[in-house]
Amino acid sequence: MHLTRFRLNTARSGARRLLSSPRTMHAAVMNAFPDVLPTDTDTPRVLWRVDRNAKAEVFLYIVSPAKPDLTHVVEQAGWKERPNWQTYDYGPFLERLAEGHTWAFRLTANPVHSIRRKDGEPTKVTAHVTPRHQAQWLLQRQEAAGFRVLEKPEDQRLLPEGDEHELLVHDRRSNAFDKPEHQPAATANGKRKNRVSLVTATFDGRLEVVDPEALRRTLTRGLGRAKAYGCGLMTLAPAE
């Protein structure tokens, strides 16, 4: 596995076009892997995430089984006379993960749940839209994902409840777009078919490794839904 970081030149119109559409960014990312076919289910999934640290400091992260060739992204959204991306062998880092180690983490995800409004109706996937429910979504999945979000000391909790963990939910976004392989069409109730509505949130926090193998799967296969559209990629950094 490989981890790649690409800095986008936000002064260029091509970068702004990529950042405005998860569908367009997905296409650009997948074009970096000419040997990966859309129907190839045997190859590990390509994960990606956009980090908007500041207006002029925006990074694209990719985790992939093969090294990407992002030359076409440089032409649209990079700098022509400087290195634009770095790719690292992810394997040695993944192998060093051990139970009890603590790390800072970042994850952009699509927090959703299934609801049934009336008895007998099929369930419907619905997005969580409040920071509290989005945080709860992640906490409900932490054990199966191989980690435990660290808890704050009681004297550092600012709220009577909902502030127990070292976890920040931010950069909450809503997006809607049509799938590229279909033409928009209206249904009987006036809604367009093949319309994707996407609610995302970014989680920053600190975690403890409780199951290294499960955490390796999380880091390389993603967490949650909408992975094709920039969700599910968790990365770790040394915890200060």
Side-chain angles (χ1 to χ4, degrees):
M1 297 299 292
H2 298 83
L3 173 66
T4 299
R5 185 178 77 163
F6 183 105
R7 184 175 180 186
L8 291 145
N9 183 353
T10 55
R12 300 188 63 181
S13 60
R16 295 192 293 272
R17 185 174 65 86
L18 289 174
L19 292 171
S20 68
S21 169
R23 188 189 72 183
T24 303
M25 183 67 84
H26 168 69
V29 169
M30 295 311 299
N31 284 338
F33 303 94
D35 297 327
V36 176
L37 301 176
T39 56
D40 187 359
T41 58
D42 295 329
T43 302
R45 177 184 288 273
V46 175
L47 302 172
W48 61 272
R49 185 185 79 219
V50 171
D51 283 7
R52 296 171 170 85
N53 299 330
K55 184 176 181 180
E57 187 180 271
V58 179
F59 292 96
L60 169 66
Y61 287 89
I62 302 172
V63 167
S64 57
K67 290 184 177 181
D69 181 356
L70 294 166
T71 304
H72 63 293
V73 185
V74 174
E75 294 170 352
Q76 299 177 61
W79 288 268
K80 295 183 178 180
E81 297 182 358
R82 55 171 289 182
N84 285 263
W85 81 87
Q86 303 84 34
T87 297
Y88 308 93
D89 184 355
Y90 209 17
F93 172 79
L94 295 172
E95 289 302 318
R96 289 199 302 270
L97 293 174
E99 184 178 353
H101 286 183
T102 59
W103 297 91
F105 72 88
R106 173 168 288 183
L107 165 72
T108 294
N110 171 224
V112 297
H113 64 304
S114 296
I115 62 171
R116 180 181 286 110
R117 295 180 179 176
K118 295 181 181 179
D119 292 340
E121 285 188 350
T123 59
K124 180 181 179 180
V125 176
T126 304
H128 287 300
V129 295
T130 68
R132 182 173 179 178
H133 287 107
Q134 290 169 341
Q136 194 62 35
W137 174 90
L138 178 61
L139 295 173
Q140 290 170 348
R141 287 156 179 77
Q142 60 181 340
E143 182 177 353
F147 63 89
R148 178 181 67 86
V149 178
L150 296 180
E151 294 187 2
K152 295 179 180 178
E154 290 190 10
D155 61 353
Q156 294 182 16
R157 300 176 186 178
L158 303 179
L159 301 174
E161 59 178 319
D163 191 34
E164 298 89 354
H165 297 86
E166 296 192 28
L167 181 63
L168 173 66
V169 183
H170 64 103
D171 199 19
R172 298 160 54 239
R173 295 173 180 264
S174 297
N175 215 317
F177 49 90
D178 295 304
K179 293 182 179 179
E181 64 269 25
H182 300 285
Q183 293 295 323
T187 62
N189 61 7
K191 294 183 179 180
R192 282 189 283 181
K193 295 180 179 179
N194 307 308
R195 187 71 169 170
V196 177
S197 296
L198 187 65
V199 173
T200 64
T202 297
F203 303 88
D204 284 346
R206 294 209 311 157
L207 62 77
E208 177 185 348
V209 181
V210 296
D211 184 339
E213 190 56 36
L215 183 55
R216 291 185 192 104
R217 289 195 299 270
T218 299
L219 295 176
T220 56
R221 299 182 187 178
L223 183 61
R225 300 165 63 99
K227 297 181 181 71
Y229 300 120
C231 297
L233 173 55
M234 173 182 280
T235 51
L236 306 181
E240 296 180 0

